Amino acid sequence: MPHVEIDLSKIYYNAKILKEQLNKKGISIMGITKVVLGDPKIAKVIRDAGITYIGDSRIRNIKRLYNAKLGAKLVLIRNPSLSEIKQVVKYADISLNSELEILKNLSKEAIKLNKKHGVIIMVEMGDLREGFMPENLDLVIKRTLELEGIVLLGLGTNLKCFAGVIPDQKNMKRFSQIAASLQHKFGIRFEFVSGGNSANYKWVKNADDLGLVNNLRLGTALIIGAESIEDSPIHDLKQDTISLIAEIVQISKKPKNPTGKFSTNAFGEPSIFKNKKYRGKGVRSQALLDIGRQDIEEKGLVPIDNIDIMGASSDYLICDIKDNEYKIGEKVKFNMSYEALLRAMTSPFVEKRYVK
């Protein structure tokens, strides 16, 4: 059975280093666990590194983290669904919001449960995903402050995830100005001015003036030691925190050219053999591994050994193993991109194993 090997000590190391680096710039961290399916063991090492806010985008994961009793504040980082309001107030300490109707329902449920639920209001800064338009924020803040059971904790924004807009000095300065204006108008002070995610790492490291931004929501940087603009490694952090191991189930010499007419593969994509680099004379040493697109994104796999990934079907990863003298049953190890890791951690057919 394919499995991921999770090195908890390396994730702890990344969390510790990032906390130390960003503390010097006045930035707190919410550790985001969505790429690892809200894994409580991973969340615990992040908490042990001194990060006291743990966030996830799925309420089911938030519930897992709640039941793990981590001693951390839990943050739902996706706009709550109306159908999940009861669970959100019960299990999450804080939620990120961009709909007044949702906020009103959170208020009603908080009153029922005699709880205070913290909210961070999301602001649209150009990436065109979640967030209130800036010109509507006066009304939004006024209405939020009027809601019983709701505690307005701050503002947040998100860039890079949809339109690909990069956090920079211009949009971050504007975000700070919006926060400053609202604080002045309503006589309040935001606990969180949350500037974004791992795509903000380079801006935070390089900027001389961070304005009012005092928080980032980090998942990619913590878990795989990379920033998320160019997916480049962050110096001083570990990238080999989680590896994928798959087993060889077939080894054979196969012709370099398919036999017969060919069109698209099972996913409607052009055959790889339309690319001349996959064709030629003779045969190649080819292996099938026991993992496929139902479990991973093969384009995000980086083999440790000198082999080439040709592609994947639903159930198999097809590799050119070159001159490697593998045997049936041998394991092949891969590093993973964010997307590949997300798929592998979500798949019930990929076992999760831990290294301390």
Side-chain angles (χ1 to χ4, degrees), residues 32-318:
I32 307 303
T33 60
K34 67 178 181 178
V35 73
V36 292
L37 204 65
D39 187 295
K41 288 186 175 69
I42 294 174
K44 183 179 184 304
V45 299
I46 293 172
R47 173 64 186 89
D48 288 347
I51 295 172
T52 57
Y53 289 83
I54 304 292
D56 204 285
S57 60
R58 301 295 194 273
I59 193 61
R60 185 178 295 183
N61 292 345
I62 292 288
K63 184 177 179 181
R64 288 180 75 195
L65 296 168
Y66 177 91
N67 290 332
K69 296 180 170 58
L70 298 170
K73 296 286 187 181
L74 300 180
V75 185
L76 181 66
I77 62 169
R78 184 170 74 172
N79 205 48
S81 304
L82 276 176
S83 58
E84 295 175 342
I85 292 294
K86 290 184 179 180
Q87 294 181 79
V88 173
V89 175
K90 182 176 181 179
Y91 297 115
D93 299 288
I94 302 168
S95 60
L96 276 52
N97 285 269
S98 55
E99 273 292 340
L100 274 173
E101 186 174 352
I102 299 289
L103 286 161
K104 290 173 185 176
N105 279 271
L106 289 169
S107 170
K108 291 176 184 177
E109 188 61 27
I111 292 168
K112 284 182 188 177
L113 297 179
N114 194 29
K115 291 186 70 175
K116 295 291 185 182
H117 182 75
V119 299
I120 293 173
I121 299 300
M122 297 301 286
V123 182
E124 174 58 66
M125 293 302 300
D127 202 53
L128 304 181
R129 202 178 73 170
E130 78 270 45
F132 290 100
M133 294 302 294
E135 59 268 24
N136 297 328
L137 285 171
D138 282 4
L139 177 62
V140 170
I141 298 301
K142 181 176 185 296
R143 293 284 185 263
T144 303
L145 290 170
E146 292 170 349
L147 293 172
E148 291 184 52
I150 296 298
V151 180
L152 176 59
L153 295 176
L155 298 184
T157 193
N158 197 76
L159 297 171
K160 181 63 173 61
C161 289
F162 178 55
V165 174
I166 296 171
D168 58 23
Q169 193 60 31
K170 182 178 179 181
N171 50 36
M172 288 293 99
K173 181 179 179 180
R174 176 64 182 138
F175 180 53
S176 282
Q177 289 171 339
I178 290 169
S181 174
L182 291 169
Q183 287 186 142
H184 177 73
K185 179 165 186 174
F186 291 96
I188 57 178
R189 185 172 182 80
F190 294 130
E191 182 177 346
F192 295 104
V193 181
S194 187
N197 52 49
S198 296
N200 290 67
Y201 179 81
K202 283 186 176 180
W203 170 73
V204 167
K205 286 288 288 181
N206 297 326
D208 294 324
D209 181 9
L210 301 182
L212 294 184
V213 174
N214 64 5
N215 175 264
L216 293 181
R217 308 179 302 280
L218 300 181
T220 305
L222 280 175
I223 306 298
I224 58 176
E227 58 80 36
S228 56
I229 294 177
E230 299 172 345
D231 297 325
S232 57
I234 295 174
H235 182 63
D236 290 335
L237 297 189
K238 308 287 188 184
Q239 285 75 50
D240 58 341
T241 52
I242 305 180
S243 301
L244 174 73
I245 291 91
E247 183 176 328
I248 296 174
V249 296
Q250 175 185 297
I251 299 173
S252 55
K253 299 289 186 181
K254 295 276 186 174
K256 290 188 175 180
N257 292 316
T259 303
K261 295 181 179 179
F262 55 86
S263 61
T264 57
N265 64 17
F267 300 97
E269 300 163 343
S271 169
I272 66 164
F273 292 100
K274 289 189 174 182
N275 186 331
K276 290 182 180 179
K277 80 172 186 176
Y278 291 107
R279 304 199 307 267
K281 296 180 181 180
V283 297
R284 67 165 53 90
S285 295
Q286 187 172 301
L288 298 184
L289 279 63
D290 63 341
I291 195 165
R293 286 200 190 177
Q294 189 165 352
D295 313 298
I296 45 87
E297 167 51 60
E298 82 277 11
K299 295 180 180 65
L301 297 180
V302 180
I304 304 300
D305 295 341
N306 182 30
I307 64 175
D308 290 335
I309 297 171
M310 297 174 66
S313 63
S314 299
D315 306 304
Y316 295 117
L317 187 69
I318 301 98

Side-chain angles (χ1 to χ4, degrees), residues 328-339:
I328 296 297
E330 277 198 62
K331 307 296 194 296
V332 182
K333 191 172 186 178
F334 303 86
N335 288 329
M336 292 179 282
S337 69
Y338 180 90
E339 185 178 0

